[in-house]
Amino acid sequence: MGTPKYAEVARRLRSVIEEDGLVPGDRLPAERDLAHRLGVSRTSIREALVVLRTAGIVEPRRGDGVYLRRDLTDLSPELTVTLFESQRQLPAIMEVREALETHVARLAARRRSSDDLDVIRAACEELAAAINGEGDASHADERFHAGIAKAADNPLLEDLMRQMAEPIARTRAASLARPGRAPRSLAGHLRIVAAIEARDEQGAAAAMREHLMLVADVAHDQGLDDGIG
């Protein structure tokens, strides 16, 4: 089994950081510049940064790029292998997401407040802006699903969603990194919002399931292939 492309790109980013003399707290070059310097696609750069973000090496800041959080030497070979192998768990994670989040959406439609709607709508607006290059799509998506969990008004379910935050982040980043997926994701979000706003419990659950099926397509591919790339 070969090394996933994004894994190799993540390793090559070390040379860029060393050449530029970057230290924790410094901002990385723009995604476009990194792609040009390494001779790879922006999608590969984005996927490599997802790996480094999961490891706590880099930190995206909304509207302000990606910053080095820790020295890249902290990304040990053992940790690298663990991160790459974790991608194979994505199909199982999606099964849990479907079981959990469709019910959360149903409850949100039943119990949401006007304040809850404001939070969920704001996350959709943030996602739309991110698609146009004005923010972090993963952060917006995280806020969206967290807002729905809060609207469900069940502390135990909300706690379960928080416990699932890290594995869910892997499916989120994998899906949004695929070309053309972000706009389709936004469309799915808007259908969910419309159903929750209308207090349509069945519609909210169905819209959430449809949205998660789009994400699951990527998770399934990753579970069968060598990686995101």
Side-chain angles (χ1 to χ4, degrees), residues 86-165:
S86 73
Q87 303 301 324
R88 302 190 180 281
Q89 300 174 8
L90 295 182
I93 294 170
M94 289 311 307
E95 291 177 359
V96 174
R97 285 194 69 178
E98 181 179 357
L100 181 61
E101 294 194 64
T102 54
H103 187 56
V104 167
R106 182 181 290 109
L107 291 178
R110 181 188 309 170
R111 300 171 178 170
R112 59 84 178 162
S113 67
S114 58
D115 288 343
D116 292 326
L117 272 178
D118 288 343
V119 170
I120 296 168
R121 289 194 192 106
C124 278
E125 292 173 3
E126 184 180 342
L127 180 59
I131 291 171
N132 293 322
E134 301 175 6
D136 181 356
S138 292
H139 181 266
D141 192 71
E142 181 180 354
R143 282 188 61 204
F144 176 81
H145 288 276
I148 292 175
K150 185 177 183 302
D153 196 25
N154 183 315
L156 291 179
L157 282 174
E158 192 173 0
D159 187 55
L160 281 174
M161 288 292 292
R162 280 195 295 267
Q163 292 181 46
M164 286 289 294

Side-chain angles (χ1 to χ4, degrees), residues 1-7 81-95 167 170-171 174 218-228:
M1 185 182 299
T3 301
K5 184 175 182 180
Y6 67 94
V81 170
T82 299
L83 288 169
F84 298 156
E85 286 301 313
S86 73
Q87 303 301 324
R88 302 190 180 281
Q89 300 174 8
L90 295 182
I93 294 170
M94 289 311 307
E95 291 177 359
R170 295 203 295 270
T171 63
V218 177
H220 181 263
D221 290 344
Q222 291 187 49
L224 296 176
D225 298 334
D226 286 339
I228 299 173

Side-chain angles (χ1 to χ4, degrees), residues 5-27:
K5 184 175 182 180
Y6 67 94
E8 179 60 30
V9 173
R11 294 190 184 103
R12 290 174 62 193
L13 283 173
R14 182 192 304 272
S15 64
V16 173
I17 290 171
E18 290 175 346
E19 287 171 8
D20 291 3
L22 301 180
V23 297
D26 288 345
R27 184 169 60 182

Side-chain angles (χ1 to χ4, degrees), residues 43 46 123-141 171-191 211 214-215 218:
T43 296
R46 195 174 302 124
C124 278
E125 292 173 3
E126 184 180 342
L127 180 59
I131 291 171
N132 293 322
E134 301 175 6
D136 181 356
S138 292
H139 181 266
D141 192 71
T171 63
R172 173 182 298 121
S175 179
L176 292 173
R178 288 293 180 92
R181 289 299 173 110
R184 292 178 64 188
S185 178
L186 176 61
H189 284 63
L190 293 173
R191 285 191 290 271
H211 170 63
L214 175 66
V215 181
V218 177

